Amino acid sequence: MYIYVCVFSRLYIPSVRFGANVLSSVFFCSEKTRPDLQYVAYTFWIHYYVGLESGTEGSFFLSCVKLVLSCSYVIVNDGASFECSTHVKMRDCSARSKFVRSWLKQASRFFQELYAMGKCPLNYNEKLKSQNELDSSLDLWSRVDVQTCTKWGAPIMWEGTFDPGDFDRHHIQKRTSVALTVFAIGRYLEVYLKEFLKSAEQYFMVELPVTYYIFTDIPEFVPKVKLMKQRHMKVIQVKNQKRWQDISMLRMKTIADFIESHIQHWHQYIFCFDVDQVFVGRFGSEALGETVGLLHAFYYRSHVKDYTYDRNPESAAYMVTGDFYYHAAIFGGTWQGVKNITEFCHQGIMKDKEKNIEALWHDESHLNKYFWLHKPSKVLSPEYCWSTIIGFRFDIRVHRLLWATKFYDILRT
């Protein structure tokens, strides 16, 4: 059976607030169906012309940008996906090109929701084959709108794929203990630490024993936070650095050394967090694994060519391609796994220093290199670290941790 339907429409949207106008042409076609594969593919093209008011009577619309979005919507065996590509052409926008580029950046975040994520490579309704029985029990096919496992067989944790109670009961029985490390250096302590700790007490591994290890240059200013039973806090004094980049990179050596001297004797698992974040929902034992990476909220629906890997061949963090783009705001695992991660990143940073170079995104670039060479055993979806700047997404059903408001102009000077 073959179906061929085409619809053509044009839409003109004036915007008084931004002084911009959008003229779009939408050409939509459904191609053909194959009942034997339960396959339907739809393809459409969207052309957006963004113009700015020039202020000259009779020429209020000046075409500046052409954004072409080509998509295929595919349904195969009850699974659905978008496969999209974009192409942008900048035209003469004179002095207002900066505004147009800013507008386009915001628009691209909206269109990313149409971009295809990869799909779990297992057959429909097949379970993971894992030594971890909890991961093998995950309901991967309850979320056909997102990728729920990797090509190397690691789960990607999304709301709806797991039973929180199963994970909590397992780790309570195993008497699992978790270390949380966070660096609060300089003004970051005053601005962020108290809310970070208070929210962690509400939502982070609440069924398990947790110790917060706070690395700071001003221990006397660490706020007093009421802790639940089986929760503890330890403050470790470290030196401040002249540059925030050095603070970010040197934490890898500090964590590795502290695992060796202390954490390995007290905890099975460790999670490392940036301080400028706030817990707003369950961040529970389902996140525990041998090595755990986090999908970056800004890139989880981007094409690999758009990932901001370090492209400098001289850097130890150099990458041509990869699986995902991981966010260094959160990583974790067993103490052995995290020790391997932090030692690898520190060694890469020191190799770069010898060449007087610095990776594009500092320790995050080296973290991505590690996870490319040594695949994580578990991947967290962007639910576990979301940015409200991105706005609403249908596939983000819950928020577990949110980026706090950034004050880079003040805190990084």
Side-chain angles (χ1 to χ4, degrees), residues 284-304:
S285 57
E286 73 281 352
L288 297 174
E290 185 177 347
T291 54
V292 182
L294 167 75
L295 298 184
H296 198 297
F298 279 82
Y299 296 102
Y300 76 106
R301 281 194 174 273
S302 297
H303 191 276
V304 64

Side-chain angles (χ1 to χ4, degrees), residues 113-124:
E113 188 161 6
L114 300 178
Y115 291 3
M117 290 190 73
K119 287 297 170 185
C120 182
L122 300 179
N123 294 323
Y124 185 66

Side-chain angles (χ1 to χ4, degrees), residues 189 193-194 197-198 214 219-227 233 235:
L189 185 152
L193 183 60
K194 187 173 184 178
L197 292 173
K198 286 173 62 178
I214 301 166
E220 63 272 20
F221 289 109
V222 172
K224 302 294 183 182
V225 175
K226 185 177 180 180
L227 303 178
M233 183 187 303
V235 179

Side-chain angles (χ1 to χ4, degrees), residues 64-91:
C64 291
V65 178
K66 181 180 181 183
L67 171 62
V68 182
L69 177 67
S70 302
C71 293
S72 294
Y73 182 66
V74 182
I75 304 174
V76 182
N77 295 332
D78 298 325
S81 68
F82 268 107
E83 298 175 0
C84 294
S85 62
T86 59
H87 181 64
V88 178
K89 290 184 178 179
M90 296 292 298
R91 299 183 180 178

